[in-house]
Amino acid sequence: MKVAVLVTCINDTMFPDTGKAVFRLLRRLGVDADFPEAQTCCGQPMVNTGYLDEAVPVVRAFTDAFAGYDYIVTPSGSCAGSARHQHSLVARRAGEPRLAETGPKVYELSEFLVDVLGVTDVDAYFPHRVTYHPTCHSLRMLGVGDKPLQLLRAVRGLDLVELPAAEECCGFGGTFAVKNADTSTAMGADKARHVRDTGAEVLVAGDNSCLLHIGGLLSRERSGVRVLHLADVLASTEEDA
Amino acid sequence: MPAFPAAARAALADSQLRRNLAHATGTIRAKRAAVVAEVDEWEELRLAGAAIKDNTLRHLDEHLLTLEAALQERGATVHWARDAAQACEIVAGIAKNHHVDEVVKVKSMATQEIGLNEALAEQGITAWETDLAELIVQLGDDLPSHILVPAIHRNRAEIREVFRRRMAAAGRPAPDDLTDEPAELAGAARLHLREKFLRAKMAVSGANFAVADTGTLVVVESEGNGRMCLTLPEVLVSVVGIEKVVPTWFDLDVFLQLLPRSSTGERMNPYTSTWSGITPGDGPQEMHVVLLDNGRTRALADSVGRQALRCIRCSACLNVCPVYERTGGHAYGSVYPGPIGAILNPLLKGVGVDEQTDSLPYASSLCGACFEACPVRIDIPEVLVHLRSQVVDAHRGGAPKPEAVAMKSAAWVLSDARRLTFAERGMGAAGKALNRFGRAVLPGGRRAVRRLPWPASLWTGARDLPAPPAESFRAWWRRTGRR
């Protein structure tokens, strides 16, 4: 089984710890995964903003970087969704059918752990009160269901509390966050309020992009709530605590 | 109308509006979820609804001709209208032939889309809305803000004020002791409207469905005002979008299950009225049907966008949309607000024509709640992205906008790992400086930025931004020699 990790551009540049956590976790589970260094981005920022021509060279770089792997694992429901559902659009635009071929091999982290590896207990330890936000693309585009929750429930020491209106969008939405900044902020403020209502110390999600937005609001409100990617929690062990 | 972001800003500042909307959409969302959960084969019904509509749209020309022939056979007059102006002219012409200066109306999206009331007013003909919410909007000189609940943005205290101030000028005045009890408000409207039903010689309606093989129009409603309009006046004119046609009565079965549960959260709607031509001595003795295009064939020509013509105007997408819930319907600048409006308006009008229409495909975070709720499975997020690409393509060639420059640069960096590595080194240097001097600290210890100049201020206006890490993931990977 040849496995590669799609770290994603946002994790690579802004959240390198999440990328490291994915490798630590996979290694602990006996998976020797690669980081193809030619990887950059899934192309979603361009596709979702309507710049299909601009997305073509990005998706081409993606396809070249990940050719030859059986599984591509990524700590992002959004990027997995984009690769699976949007690369075909770009392939059609470019008239290059091969650009649609790698997308179906991309798995969001919780899907890979539960569906491919068949594990829900990854032997993690994280003694904190945690609430979980199911990001829209994980929830609706991929349909990961309760897989992230199955994984979190098996973490030792973790106290999982339910997030009110969990399935409602946080308002990040990629370039929506700046093109419609006021609406985005209004949605995020409600999400942040629900997070605070839980009394959790940590908000966990499967997309650092959404957490960048919600965390930015929580920080501005000086709420004291920390945001953390699912991978960072699952990679934690007793030595880290 | 200003573009969506500006219109939304005004709506977001109105805290009463946001409270009204959150309450109303929350209530209807819960009702819908409960009645949809009762139906085991809901997903199959959705698939059937989508398939019937798609098949009908594929042979729309034939079904429309069948409908026309069936209607004519039963004594109705059929008119074809290419656009709004033509449709309004036809309706006004019929009114003038009968020398009427007022008509009663059944709530209809098609007539609002073409601005019929305003067009009739210009010809000296007053059109009275008889749906309660439409009456509130009309009396208040307001605009509808929801497809199904046009006055959703108003609470009952505001409605009492509208009735007390404006009813007298339009007919029977509101009682002096009117309170804001819903039953009293409805009672006042009932007495006010009854006069108009009994007086009117002509009615105007739309149709929820038009059955081709029998030449039958169908209106579903909750208040009975529709049935009054459809049965009492001597002349009935129905303005019907050409996408409303279904081939047979069997097809109606599916939609009469999908529509009420999706729209009002009811198992079935209280009134279903169907009419096929003239019956001597019973009901209207003259019947006209105006088949309206107004951009529908343009939408039909769009291979991705044509699925929007499946829409049965249930408004389930509005009620689940987090953007609509906060901005309300007026921000969309059209009688079709919310997610469906964000795709339908550009499809009907065409993109690249005006800034307001071009802003609509971007009025979404692409969360996908609308697709999940849509009873005829319109993949609204897919159409939104498709229309965004049309907007971008329509503006290629001219002077590039800052956004286009940013996207082109990002694509250039992101299409080659060496360029990305170089860009990350620059960010790392900025990150190091911020780590030394940045004032804000995120929970967990990371430094953050509180204020940045435009355009980054669009982010930092309300949100802190973590400082970039000193070392990117790929730099760490290389340095530690993981391979």
Side-chain angles (χ1 to χ4, degrees), chain B residues 31-318:
Chain B
K31 269 180 84 180
R32 175 198 162 272
V35 296
V36 163
E38 291 174 350
V39 184
D40 289 335
E41 69 276 23
W42 184 253
E43 202 48 40
E44 285 74 14
L45 274 174
R46 286 178 83 204
L47 287 164
I52 293 169
K53 282 280 183 178
D54 279 351
N55 284 332
T56 311
L57 289 168
R58 202 165 295 136
H59 305 286
L60 189 60
D61 51 345
E62 294 164 32
H63 293 299
L64 285 169
L65 291 174
T66 307
L67 176 69
E68 180 186 37
L71 281 165
Q72 285 168 339
E73 201 177 308
R74 293 178 176 236
T77 309
V78 177
H79 311 257
W80 297 83
R82 183 173 299 279
D83 56 22
Q86 209 175 8
C88 290
E89 203 47 50
I90 293 166
V91 181
I94 297 166
K96 290 203 157 160
N97 284 343
H98 290 273
H99 309 288
V100 300
D101 58 6
E102 65 170 3
V103 301
V104 284
K105 278 191 69 202
V106 189
K107 175 172 159 28
S108 135
M109 295 311 294
T111 57
Q112 283 187 5
E113 175 190 323
I114 59 174
L116 180 66
N117 293 8
E118 295 75 11
L120 289 177
E122 273 177 32
Q123 311 252 8
I125 303 158
T126 311
W128 301 113
E129 294 290 348
T130 64
D131 171 86
L132 178 55
E134 289 290 357
L135 176 72
I136 295 164
V137 170
Q138 188 177 39
L139 289 174
D141 267 336
D142 201 355
L143 292 166
S145 65
H146 189 280
I147 290 175
L148 189 81
V149 201
I152 195 169
H153 56 296
R154 296 289 195 196
N155 63 28
R156 59 194 206 185
E158 293 173 293
I159 293 165
R160 171 179 177 269
E161 271 315 295
V162 169
F163 280 11
R164 282 180 46 89
R165 279 189 292 112
R166 311 301 285 272
M167 252 183 186
R172 187 189 172 106
D176 287 336
D177 57 350
L178 183 68
T179 72
D180 64 1
E181 280 306 306
E184 277 196 42
L185 295 172
R190 190 176 288 123
L191 292 172
H192 179 84
L193 288 170
R194 190 166 296 161
E195 279 185 358
K196 290 173 177 163
F197 287 132
L198 294 172
R199 198 171 62 217
K201 296 277 179 287
M202 173 170 153
V204 177
S205 83
N208 291 96
F209 305 98
V211 183
D213 68 344
T214 55
T216 307
L217 301 187
V218 183
V219 158
V220 297
E221 40 121 7
S222 300
E223 296 169 14
N225 66 301
R227 184 160 297 173
M228 300 286 270
C229 292
L230 299 170
T231 50
L232 282 172
E234 294 158 20
V235 181
L236 174 59
V237 184
S238 305
V239 181
V240 183
I242 53 173
E243 84 284 14
K244 293 286 174 187
V245 67
V246 293
T248 70
W249 274 78
F250 290 105
D251 303 310
L252 269 186
D253 167 21
V254 171
F255 297 109
L256 292 183
Q257 294 180 71
L258 286 172
L259 182 54
R261 286 182 199 261
S262 302
S263 58
T264 49
E266 293 169 301
R267 296 184 182 92
M268 70 184 285
N269 50 280
Y271 295 88
T272 302
S273 302
T274 69
W275 66 104
S276 313
I278 310 295
T279 308
D282 183 16
Q285 294 303 294
E286 190 175 318
M287 178 179 160
H288 296 265
V289 180
V290 183
L291 293 172
L292 176 72
D293 184 330
N294 205 33
R296 284 159 177 76
T297 49
R298 174 207 290 276
L300 192 61
D302 185 314
S303 60
V304 179
R306 69 172 59 127
Q307 56 185 305
L309 294 179
R310 291 183 204 147
C311 177
I312 54 174
R313 312 283 190 260
C314 73
S315 62
C317 63
L318 276 62

Side-chain angles (χ1 to χ4, degrees), chain A residues 133 163 165-166 168-170 187-195 214:
Chain A
H133 166 60
L163 178 66
E168 193 166 297
C169 178
C170 72
M187 289 160 68
D190 288 341
K191 180 63 73 178
R193 177 168 49 82
H194 291 312
V195 172
I214 310 170

Side-chain angles (χ1 to χ4, degrees), chain A residues 7 9 11-16 19-20 23-24 27 33-41 45-55 57-58 61 69 86 89 92-93 136-137 139-140 167-169 171-173 175-187 190 209 212-213 215-217 219-220 222-227, chain B residues 4-5 8-9 12 18 29 304 322-323 325-327 359 362-369 372 382 385 388-390 392-393 396 401 403-404 407-408 410-411 413-417 420 424 427 440-444 446 448-451 455 458-469 471-478 482-483:
Chain A
V7 169
C9 60
N11 288 321
D12 180 15
T13 55
M14 289 297 286
F15 301 96
K20 295 173 200 172
F23 278 95
R24 217 160 51 239
R27 181 155 291 191
D34 250 351
F35 172 74
E37 287 187 46
Q39 69 172 281
T40 53
C41 167
M46 290 89 211
V47 176
N48 277 1
T49 318
Y51 290 82
L52 279 184
D53 283 350
E54 286 74 6
V58 181
Y69 289 97
Q86 296 185 329
L89 282 179
R92 206 159 46 234
R93 177 81 163 204
C136 299
H137 289 175
L139 188 71
R140 302 197 182 87
E167 297 193 352
E168 193 166 297
C169 178
F172 170 64
T175 47
F176 177 77
V178 291
K179 280 179 87 87
N180 282 283
D182 300 290
T183 311
S184 165
T185 304
M187 289 160 68
D190 288 341
S209 49
L212 181 75
H213 168 69
L217 284 158
S219 165
R220 182 64 55 91
R222 294 176 164 77
S223 67
V225 182
R226 185 181 179 191
V227 298
Chain B
F4 186 83
R9 194 173 309 128
L12 287 163
R18 281 177 68 184
R29 209 154 54 209
V304 179
V323 174
E325 184 183 329
R326 286 165 185 85
T327 63
S359 73
Y362 292 94
S364 165
S365 64
L366 302 179
C367 82
E372 204 172 56
E382 178 193 27
V385 169
R388 288 177 186 188
S389 77
Q390 287 188 356
V392 167
D393 291 344
R396 285 187 195 276
K401 289 189 293 179
E403 174 195 283
M407 279 293 162
K408 278 182 210 304
V413 171
L414 291 172
S415 55
D416 186 317
L420 178 58
E424 284 171 348
M427 284 181 72
V441 179
L442 300 174
R446 187 164 172 182
V449 188
R450 284 243 145 94
R451 290 277 178 271
L458 291 168
W459 181 277
T460 58
R463 296 157 284 209
D464 290 348
L465 185 68
E471 185 181 51
S472 69
F473 176 84
R474 70 180 64 235
W476 170 82
W477 178 268
R478 284 226 180 117
R482 285 299 302 267
R483 63 163 52 218

Side-chain angles (χ1 to χ4, degrees), chain A:
Chain A
M1 178 165 84
K2 256 188 106 185
V3 180
V5 175
L6 160 64
V7 169
T8 81
C9 60
I10 192 164
N11 288 321
D12 180 15
T13 55
M14 289 297 286
F15 301 96
D17 288 348
T18 298
K20 295 173 200 172
V22 173
F23 278 95
R24 217 160 51 239
L25 176 63
L26 291 179
R27 181 155 291 191
R28 197 164 80 215
L29 296 170
V31 179
D32 185 24
D34 250 351
F35 172 74
E37 287 187 46
Q39 69 172 281
T40 53
C41 167
C42 65
Q44 183 176 202
M46 290 89 211
V47 176
N48 277 1
T49 318
Y51 290 82
L52 279 184
D53 283 350
E54 286 74 6
V56 171
V58 181
V59 173
R60 201 179 282 135
F62 182 100
T63 310
D64 293 342
F66 290 103
Y69 289 97
D70 302 314
Y71 294 99
I72 302 152
V73 189
T74 186
S76 166
S78 195
C79 303
S82 171
R84 261 193 240 168
H85 299 290
Q86 296 185 329
H87 281 189
S88 50
L89 282 179
V90 179
R92 206 159 46 234
R93 177 81 163 204
E96 290 179 53
R98 74 177 189 102
L99 299 187
E101 285 167 11
T102 358
K105 296 179 188 168
V106 180
Y107 286 75
E108 185 272 337
L109 180 67
S110 73
E111 288 179 320
F112 183 75
L113 296 175
V114 177
D115 293 347
V116 181
L117 298 185
V119 290
T120 48
D121 186 347
V122 297
D123 201 18
Y125 176 72
F126 192 74
H128 297 283
R129 194 174 164 86
V130 165
T131 194
Y132 175 76
H133 166 60
T135 62
C136 299
H137 289 175
S138 295
L139 188 71
R140 302 197 182 87
M141 219 178 191
L142 297 179
V144 301
D146 70 342
K147 284 163 205 163
L149 292 171
Q150 291 177 37
L151 290 157
L152 284 173
R153 282 192 204 107
V155 174
R156 280 175 297 121
L158 190 146
D159 175 18
L160 187 65
V161 288
E162 200 179 322
L163 178 66
E167 297 193 352
E168 193 166 297
C169 178
C170 72
F172 170 64
T175 47
F176 177 77
V178 291
K179 280 179 87 87
N180 282 283
D182 300 290
T183 311
S184 165
T185 304
M187 289 160 68
D190 288 341
K191 180 63 73 178
R193 177 168 49 82
H194 291 312
V195 172
R196 287 198 313 272
D197 287 348
T198 64
E201 303 160 61
V202 184
L203 170 69
V204 172
D207 271 290
N208 270 330
S209 49
C210 306
L211 288 176
L212 181 75
H213 168 69
I214 310 170
L217 284 158
L218 286 167
S219 165
R220 182 64 55 91
E221 296 167 1
R222 294 176 164 77
S223 67
V225 182
R226 185 181 179 191
V227 298
L228 214 48
H229 194 282
L230 178 69
D232 295 278
V233 174
L234 298 181
S236 297
T237 59
E238 227 131 333
E239 293 92 79
D240 304 323

